[in-house]
């Protein structure tokens, strides 16, 4: 097949291009090329999506994979510029309007691009809804909408999942959230990429939550620890009031405990993985993702400035607070 990947230089788009090349497909990656190189075996076409798809306009592909992060304008321009027999749009579980209770299906109202609007998770989700609508309206049953959950594995630029294998591999007393009722789920980027290519090959269509099965957060952290932590490592549960008193943020960002969620978003990692797995998604053990992520973390350098996680002084203060 001739596959167009809109991107191809970073994380999911690159993993998808790598997988498609590995299977022998003819892969074209449309990207500026400023964030990295396209995989060996793929063809790079330099484009700036703020301007348009340039030399690709009028082309036809067997399949297109669009990972437009947050721009319905980009999505519509791509739909006008090229044609395809199968079209994958990478959306997000952030499209859902309510993350406090499991099983909710209502989505946010769609929003247009607005460079002056403040960034928020709700705005991100609402622009993704607009992108989903644009793809469905244009493709008349040929669309594969992937609502990705937490994507993990080597190359993750968010530093969320990677914080845990990196920290747990250091051993000692490790501060973890005391959130016994919180679920957690993720999808390894390589498993998601394989499913995207599978779907293009088999012409899978429809809208799916692309995520692995949910388990208690404590079990997920325990599986990571079992894979990477030295003997004697102790996971110390920090009550949520103590985390709040010390200004620790949930989910992501500086001074955060990644994967921990507030009650208002506790169901964000409790989506039903069943439909996606019935449609061909296959997931590897969390321990395998942890080991490969740790290797990537070490290549980046353990002392680098992180986008998510606790610094040693903040973690020490938490551990001291609970004795």
């Amino acid at each position: 097949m001739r596959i167009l990947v809109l991107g191809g230089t970073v994380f999911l788009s690159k993993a998808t291009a790598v997988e498609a090349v590995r299977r022998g497909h003819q892969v074209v990656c449309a990207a500026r090329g400023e964030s990295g190189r396209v995989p060996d075996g793929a063809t790079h076409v330099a484009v700036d999506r703020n301007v348009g798809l340039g030399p690709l306009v009028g082309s036809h592909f067997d399949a297109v994979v669009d990972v437009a992060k947050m721009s319905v304008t980009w999505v519509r321009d791509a739909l006008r510029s090229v044609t395809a027999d199968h079209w994958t749009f990478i959306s997000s579980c952030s499209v859902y309007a309510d993350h406090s209770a499991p099983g909710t299906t209502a989505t946010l109202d769609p929003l247009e691009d607005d460079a002056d609007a403040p960034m928020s998770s709700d705005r991100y989700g609402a622009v993704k809804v607009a992108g989903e609508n644009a793809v469905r309206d244009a493709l008349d049953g040929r669309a594969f909408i992937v609502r990705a959950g937490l994507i993990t594995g080597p190359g993750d630029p968010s530093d969320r999942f990677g914080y845990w294998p990196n920290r747990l591999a250091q051993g000692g007393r490790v501060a973890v959230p005391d959130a016994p009722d919180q679920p957690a789920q993720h999808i390894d980027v390589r498993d998601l990429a394989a499913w995207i290519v599978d779907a293009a090959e088999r012409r899978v269509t429809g809208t799916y939550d692309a995520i692995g099965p949910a388990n208690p957060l404590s079990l997920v952290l325990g599986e990571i620890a079992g894979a990477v932590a030295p003997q004697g490592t102790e996971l110390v549960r920090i009550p949520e009031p103590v985390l709040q008193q010390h200004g620790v943020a949930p989910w992501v960002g500086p001074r955060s405990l990644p994967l921990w969620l507030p009650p208002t978003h506790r169901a964000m990692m409790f989506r039903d993985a069943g439909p996606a797995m019935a449609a061909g998604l296959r997931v590897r053990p969390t321990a395998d993702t942890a080991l490969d992520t740790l290797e990537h973390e070490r290549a980046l350098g353990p002392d680098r400035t992180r986008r998510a996680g606790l610094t040693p002084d903040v973690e020490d203060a938490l551990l001291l607070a609970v004795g």
Side-chain angles (χ1 to χ4, degrees), residues 180-274:
D181 62 338
Q182 185 195 316
Q185 58 189 160
H186 71 101
I187 180 71
D188 188 293
V189 65
R190 296 160 294 182
D191 296 334
L192 182 51
W195 189 43
I196 289 168
V197 180
D198 285 344
E201 293 173 341
R202 298 189 289 113
R203 298 293 190 263
V204 176
T205 59
T207 301
Y208 298 88
D209 290 342
I211 196 67
N215 287 294
L217 176 58
S218 58
L219 182 64
V220 172
L221 295 179
E223 190 171 355
I224 297 171
V228 305
Q231 187 173 2
T233 301
E234 180 186 1
L235 276 61
V236 181
R237 296 186 177 187
I238 311 297
E240 293 186 356
V242 176
L243 294 173
Q244 293 162 355
Q245 290 164 10
H246 284 75
V248 175
W251 191 241
V252 73
R255 202 183 180 97
S256 67
L257 264 186
L259 310 192
W260 170 47
L261 290 168
T264 54
H265 286 70
R266 196 131 291 177
M268 191 169 77
M269 288 201 291
F270 195 41
R271 306 302 308 180
D272 184 4

Side-chain angles (χ1 to χ4, degrees), residues 38-52:
V38 304
D40 291 341
T43 299
H44 178 213
V45 176
V47 301
D48 182 343
R49 295 189 71 175
N50 290 316
V51 178

Side-chain angles (χ1 to χ4, degrees), residues 117-151:
M119 177 59 178
S120 69
S121 59
D122 279 354
R123 176 158 190 86
Y124 170 76
V127 173
K128 283 292 191 183
V129 171
E132 289 186 5
N133 293 344
V135 172
R136 291 193 196 94
D137 291 345
L139 291 168
D140 190 26
R142 288 175 287 131
F144 180 52
I145 308 294
V146 175
R147 290 175 175 169
L150 175 65
I151 307 175

Side-chain angles (χ1 to χ4, degrees), residues 162 165-166 168-171 228-230 291-304 306:
N166 183 66
L168 286 162
Q170 298 170 30
V228 305
L291 286 166
D292 293 341
T293 300
L294 178 59
E295 183 178 349
H296 176 72
E297 287 280 332
R298 286 173 169 166
L300 293 176
D303 298 326
R304 64 192 172 89
R306 304 187 59 88

